[in-house]
Amino acid sequence: MSLEEREGGLCLVYRRRECGGQRILEEKVYDLGLPAAGSQVLEQGGEGPDFWAYVGHGRRLYYVSYWLPNKIRVMRVPREARDGLEVLAPHYARIGARLYCRGAWVPDAAADRLEVIPETRFAHDGERVYAFTVTEGLDVLETASPPFYFLPRCEYFADRRYFYWQSTWTGRIERVSGLTRVEACETKAVLQTLLWHHTAAHDAREHAARAHVLDRVRTVAELFRLTLPRAGAQWSGAPVAHA
């Protein structure tokens, strides 16, 4: 996807090309309702449907994304603050003391303390946890007790006592039992990152040892206790797992 001028207007353009070639099989053009003249692309990134951009026109600032109903959203930005745009992650940005998620202002967020957790849907500001995907949207958890614990490529996180996830049914961050089963592919992705550091097993013996660990780690509590043995949290759930 890209931003292009069409008949004097700024448009979001999607092109589907043949596999391995340059021939265009399909093209869709979404009129953003802005004149191309005077529109300035401040920041952009992502590929395909994950393309995003911040566009300035006059005194207004806009966020562009295929996933928005109208592909564009006008941002509620303090006057003369447009130049302070700082993109924190594909879906998060900071302007002054304000935090924005996909161009929408997130009230009460401590934008200056926001930490986006790599390889997850989560971010936090030390007091609240934010979860976002294009399908579930944004939700904020204000009742958890820091410190917070996150694992890369994991759909769950924890505070000092409990585990949480963003429900695929409600879009809300909800508490889950430590006995909740974790998909084997998710467990493998987390362990491959934290324990095995993206390396392959050297021989059959190591491969068998890894398979044994994977077979024993089946719940949220087991996964967190294995990968964060020094966390010191009072998590409820299954017995401690050992690698």
Side-chain angles (χ1 to χ4, degrees):
M1 282 192 155
S2 61
L3 292 175
E4 299 181 11
E5 178 182 352
R6 295 292 178 92
E7 299 180 355
L10 187 66
C11 298
L12 180 63
V13 180
Y14 165 77
R15 295 186 181 92
R16 183 170 65 89
R17 303 180 186 273
E18 64 180 354
C19 184
Q22 294 299 312
R23 187 165 66 94
I24 298 174
L25 301 178
E26 179 185 14
E27 181 177 271
K28 292 184 178 180
V29 179
Y30 303 95
D31 185 358
L32 299 178
L34 290 176
S39 294
Q40 180 183 8
V41 179
L42 303 176
E43 297 278 356
Q44 63 180 335
E47 298 181 356
D50 293 327
F51 174 86
W52 55 267
Y54 291 89
V55 177
H57 184 84
R59 292 186 176 182
R60 289 192 169 183
L61 182 63
Y62 300 84
Y63 179 77
V64 177
S65 169
Y66 170 80
W67 297 104
L68 293 175
N70 297 319
K71 315 305 178 190
I72 189 169
R73 169 181 285 151
V74 60
M75 297 175 62
R76 297 171 56 190
V77 179
R79 184 173 298 181
E80 307 300 332
R82 196 184 83 179
D83 293 340
L85 173 69
E86 179 182 358
V87 177
L88 305 175
H91 301 303
Y92 293 103
R94 179 168 54 210
I95 300 178
R98 290 190 175 191
L99 175 70
Y100 294 82
C101 180
R102 282 207 305 175
W105 176 35
V106 184
D108 301 324
D112 58 328
R113 299 199 306 269
L114 188 80
E115 179 183 354
V116 179
I117 309 302
E119 298 185 86
T120 76
R121 66 175 68 194
F122 304 116
H124 76 93
D125 60 11
E127 298 179 5
R128 308 168 189 84
V129 177
Y130 306 84
F132 174 81
T133 69
V134 293
T135 52
E136 277 81 50
L138 175 71
D139 193 39
V140 182
L141 180 67
E142 300 187 8
T143 58
S145 301
F148 306 120
Y149 302 92
F150 304 92
L151 302 178
R153 307 181 69 181
C154 184
E155 294 294 304
Y156 302 90
F157 72 94
D159 64 6
R160 291 185 298 177
R161 297 179 59 191
Y162 302 111
F163 300 100
Y164 304 85
W165 82 322
Q166 186 181 24
S167 170
T168 55
W169 291 98
T170 67
R172 303 299 301 273
I173 300 175
E174 300 175 353
R175 186 188 301 175
V176 297
S177 167
L179 298 175
T180 301
R181 301 280 292 208
V182 181
E183 295 288 341
C185 59
E186 184 174 357
T187 299
K188 184 175 181 180
V190 173
L191 298 186
Q192 184 68 23
T193 300
L194 294 181
L195 294 190
W196 304 323
H197 308 294
H198 301 290
T199 62
H202 292 91
D203 50 35
R205 182 176 179 180
E206 184 177 353
H207 180 79
R210 292 188 180 189
H212 179 67
V213 174
L214 286 170
D215 186 59
R216 293 182 60 189
V217 180
R218 300 183 179 183
T219 69
V220 173
E222 289 173 336
L223 180 60
F224 273 73
R225 285 174 172 165
L226 174 63
T227 53
L228 300 172
R230 298 180 178 85
Q234 301 298 315
W235 294 321
S236 59
V240 177
H242 298 281

